[in-house]
Amino acid sequence: MSELLIEIGTEELPAIPLLKELPNIEKKWQNILNEYRLMSEFIFYYTPRRLVFFHKNFHDKQEDTTVELIGAPKNIALKEGKLTSAGQAFLEKADIKESELEFKEIKGKEVLYHQKTLIGKNSIEILGEMINKFLKSLNFGKSMRWGDHSFEFIRAIRNIACVLGDQLVEFEIFGVKSSKKTFVHRSISYDFFPFQNIKEYFQILENNFIILDPKKRKEKILNDFKELEKKYDIIIGQDEELLAEVIAITEYPKALFGSFDRAFLEIPNEVIITSMRENQRYFAVFNNDKELSNHFIVVSNAVCEDYSKIIHGNERVLRARLSDAMFFYQNDLQKGLEPQKLKKIIYLENLGTMDDKSSREIELAKILCEFLKNNHFEKISKAIYYAKADLTTQMVYEFTDLQGIIGSYYAAKMGFEQEICLAIKEQYLPNSEKSDLPSTEFSSIVALANKFDTLLGLFSIGKIPSGTKDPYALRRAANGILKILLNLNKNFDINAFLEKASKNYQNFNLKILKDFIFERIYTFYDLNPSFIKAVLVSKNSDIIVIDESIKTLAKISQKSNFNDYFSTFKRLANIAQKTTNTINENLFIEVEKKLYIAFKESLKALTIEEKLNKLFALKPEIDAFFEAVMINDKDEKLKNNRQALVFNIYQEFLKIADIKELSL
């Protein structure tokens, strides 16, 4: 066993593609190790200019292994004592002579068989091949070529160091020969630094301002933040995504405090924060009252004694960007929101303009208000009429991600009521997995109208997601609808709503859309999928009832004796046959009477949980019933009566969940 160091040195790696592939990098290297029978623990490091693997204990040699090869049956491999093409192919695959051929009985058949031992290779012989395969497995999205080479990678590879023990592992890939050298921080030198052993490699980096471990870079940034917060009496905005990006683009991070003119605070906070974040990777700064301050934090990758020039340079760049934003903002305010301009913006082919979309959403809002018993339709329709109008503004043209948010500011300046402004702001929520939901029922109806129109419209013109492809984010829209409805906690029959709402769209198979929405429910619960399927099969399309049924069924299943109860009711469900026969109590024997009385008592339950508990509590009476009577009695009247009793009990379960669908 020896130490192993691998460093892939590159030009600066773009942060976003690197971070997207980051969760897969260690797995892919682990897969290569498994494939080559060289499994061992390792640490993975990265900076914007290098990917590094360090193994404390790496096998110097592969283990020997035995391989069994199985071929065609004997009657196919041999014809009239001579090898067929199938037999010849097996010889080539096994790399043996005909005299070494043997047959073995496997699962009652004689088949071609050969067992051989693969002698493990020295690691130093195969590491180059392993690294080449690993690099080609990485997927960063777009790749580039450099020089006159034909191969591609996310950025040009400039150096490869591979050292096993103290010995250089020699190979060439991507036009680069492996070597015992590395590069240090650009502020220190552009030259390569040679090293003799792995210990010296780590020392060179540490002494020349390379913090190899991203966790330590994060720790340094956060410590810098604490010092700046204490020094300037400020609060630095928490932004994990931006922090991860900054960690990925720095080798020796240094947090710096900058300022901008207070006059720019007239611009909406979201614009300032977005401009700083997206364009410059600055962190927003707040005062102790949590109000946005005219300051920012930039994380520099430079190494120097005086950072004042870097701070001033960043202040200059930000001033120019905020000046543009101020110009857009003041120009937009002079015009206000102009929804009539939406007639000139195409939404999608066959779905008209953005004005058409707004009109459809208003019609949907009317139906939503009816279903949710909300009497603020007139005000809601006004919110929807103005909701998309900010798409015509200069500010949204520059800051696309702020659509809706910008509109809410302009609506407020135009004197609109607060709940209309809030609904315009929250119309796209939830817009991600961890996003907030609309904060009021008023805003929720506006957001639901938007999402339902998107689904109905796109499904009506055949733009239906398939496989992993979902270019219009329709799964996210369906998830958003379910989350909003669950949050409102009002009974809402999705099927009934879609039946009524779909009349304003081109005719299409509505069942496909219904199934698409209900399939998303599986992602909402961390439990046995058969419990969800059992509830959905019950055909109940009220989302609140579905949610309560799933949670109640899951809760009851946690009881220690649930398996016994389940077996009884699974039997009942399997026996139950659809019948139109009514129950005749006069035909009951004593055991049937007891079951029927207990069953009628369960019908008095007021909640789903109470009803399920009472139905499951019928187990002793049902067991006694099965023990005492024959359902398919020769007497037709008794047979029909017993089938009716069983079917009626099963039907009550079916109103909540189909027991037959459960698998424990």
Side-chain angles (χ1 to χ4, degrees), residues 120-139:
K121 296 181 180 179
N122 291 325
S123 298
I124 203 165
E125 299 172 20
I126 55 175
L127 272 166
E129 179 184 324
M130 292 169 65
I131 294 169
N132 185 37
K133 185 175 285 191
F134 163 71
L135 291 176
K136 289 180 178 177
S137 75
L138 298 179
N139 181 14

Side-chain angles (χ1 to χ4, degrees), residues 68-128:
E68 287 186 312
L69 299 174
I70 299 172
K74 187 174 184 179
N75 62 342
I76 295 176
L78 284 176
K79 296 290 185 183
E80 298 178 356
K82 293 184 178 180
L83 280 178
T84 63
S85 58
Q88 291 291 345
F90 185 78
L91 289 181
E92 294 175 16
K93 179 181 177 182
D95 193 23
I96 57 174
K97 298 175 182 176
E98 189 172 346
S99 58
E100 299 175 82
L101 197 64
E102 61 178 308
F103 293 91
K104 184 176 181 179
E105 187 174 314
I106 297 176
K107 294 182 180 179
K109 284 187 178 181
E110 270 197 288
V111 296
L112 289 168
Y113 179 83
H114 182 68
Q115 185 182 86
K116 64 179 179 180
T117 300
L118 294 179
I119 305 300
K121 296 181 180 179
N122 291 325
S123 298
I124 203 165
E125 299 172 20
I126 55 175
L127 272 166

Side-chain angles (χ1 to χ4, degrees), residues 301-319:
N301 190 39
V303 177
C304 59
E305 291 184 6
D306 182 8
Y307 286 93
S308 60
K309 289 184 179 179
I310 294 173
I311 294 170
H312 293 324
N314 281 278
E315 288 175 339
R316 229 177 11 253
V317 171
L318 182 58
R319 187 184 307 117

Side-chain angles (χ1 to χ4, degrees), residues 125-394:
E125 299 172 20
I126 55 175
L127 272 166
E129 179 184 324
M130 292 169 65
I131 294 169
N132 185 37
K133 185 175 285 191
F134 163 71
L135 291 176
K136 289 180 178 177
S137 75
L138 298 179
N139 181 14
F140 296 101
K142 291 184 179 180
S143 296
M144 63 171 284
R145 296 179 184 178
W146 60 95
D148 57 358
H149 302 303
S150 60
F151 40 74
E152 297 180 349
F153 198 61
I154 183 174
R155 286 294 182 269
I157 294 176
R158 297 304 187 196
N159 179 59
I160 299 176
C162 184
V163 180
L164 183 62
D166 290 338
Q167 186 176 357
L168 173 66
V169 181
E170 296 188 58
F171 57 86
E172 181 178 340
I173 54 176
F174 286 79
V176 178
K177 290 183 178 180
S178 59
S179 61
K180 281 187 176 182
K181 61 184 181 182
T182 186
F183 40 75
V184 297
H185 200 287
R186 290 196 192 278
S187 297
I188 305 303
S189 175
Y190 284 89
D191 297 328
F192 282 110
F193 278 54
F195 60 89
Q196 296 303 312
N197 53 54
I198 294 173
K199 182 179 180 181
E200 188 179 346
Y201 165 84
F202 286 114
Q203 287 175 341
I204 287 173
L205 295 187
E206 186 176 345
N207 294 340
N208 288 277
F209 298 94
I210 301 293
I211 302 177
L212 196 56
D213 188 343
K215 293 178 182 176
K216 291 183 178 178
R217 294 202 297 278
K218 180 178 181 178
E219 186 180 338
K220 184 180 187 307
I221 293 170
L222 293 179
N223 284 337
D224 285 355
F225 281 3
K226 287 179 183 177
E227 290 179 12
L228 291 173
E229 285 179 327
K230 186 176 180 180
K231 180 177 179 180
Y232 294 102
D233 194 25
I234 56 170
I235 299 171
I236 299 173
Q238 298 296 309
D239 190 331
E240 287 299 321
E241 286 186 9
L242 180 58
L243 182 59
E245 198 174 337
V246 166
I247 291 166
I249 60 172
T250 57
E251 292 188 310
Y252 192 81
K254 173 68 175 176
L256 306 172
F257 179 79
S259 303
F260 58 86
D261 194 321
R262 288 187 60 84
F264 289 124
L265 291 176
E266 177 190 338
I267 306 169
N269 289 355
E270 290 87 351
V271 174
I272 297 172
I273 293 169
T274 300
S275 181
M276 292 195 299
R277 185 188 194 278
E278 302 300 327
N279 297 320
Q280 307 304 131
R281 296 190 179 99
Y282 298 162
F283 290 83
V285 172
F286 301 84
N287 59 33
N288 283 319
D289 294 326
K290 297 184 179 179
E291 294 176 343
L292 186 66
S293 166
N294 63 315
H295 303 289
F296 65 91
I297 303 297
V298 57
V299 179
S300 169
N301 190 39
V303 177
C304 59
E305 291 184 6
D306 182 8
Y307 286 93
S308 60
K309 289 184 179 179
I310 294 173
I311 294 170
H312 293 324
N314 281 278
E315 288 175 339
R316 229 177 11 253
V317 171
L318 182 58
R319 187 184 307 117
R321 291 203 175 273
L322 293 182
S323 295
D324 289 344
M326 178 73 91
F327 175 77
F328 298 146
Y329 180 63
Q330 291 175 341
N331 268 13
D332 286 341
L333 284 180
Q334 290 176 11
K335 299 175 183 177
L337 293 174
E338 300 176 295
Q340 65 275 13
K341 288 186 176 181
L342 293 174
K343 294 178 180 179
K344 297 180 180 179
I345 301 178
I346 299 298
Y347 172 48
L348 276 174
E349 188 178 354
N350 298 322
L351 287 176
T353 65
M354 290 304 300
D355 180 67
D356 294 324
K357 179 170 172 59
S358 295
S359 297
R360 290 194 302 269
E361 288 182 18
I362 289 171
E363 290 300 314
L364 289 175
K366 189 174 185 179
I367 305 171
L368 285 165
C369 286
E370 175 191 330
F371 272 67
L372 293 168
K373 297 179 174 58
N374 185 292
N375 57 5
H376 294 98
F377 169 67
E378 293 301 324
K379 202 180 291 186
I380 287 170
S381 66
K382 182 177 180 180
I384 294 174
Y385 178 69
Y386 283 95
K388 309 289 189 298
D390 65 356
L391 295 176
T392 68
T393 65
Q394 288 181 288

Side-chain angles (χ1 to χ4, degrees), residues 507-569:
N507 188 38
F508 69 101
N509 187 346
L510 194 56
K511 184 179 183 301
I512 297 174
L513 176 55
K514 292 175 182 177
D515 291 344
F516 178 80
I517 292 174
F518 285 116
E519 280 170 10
R520 307 312 305 156
I521 292 176
Y522 284 92
T523 66
F524 280 54
Y525 306 91
D526 184 19
L527 49 84
N528 184 334
S530 72
F531 283 67
I532 300 167
K533 184 178 181 182
V535 172
L536 293 180
V537 167
S538 73
K539 303 300 181 185
N540 200 316
S541 56
D542 187 309
I543 187 61
I544 299 302
V545 174
I546 290 171
D547 178 61
E548 188 179 348
S549 299
I550 291 171
K551 289 176 178 175
T552 302
L553 192 57
K555 179 181 177 181
I556 291 173
S557 73
Q558 299 302 309
K559 294 182 179 180
S560 58
N561 57 355
F562 181 74
N563 281 5
D564 293 335
Y565 280 69
F566 170 68
S567 60
T568 292
F569 289 98

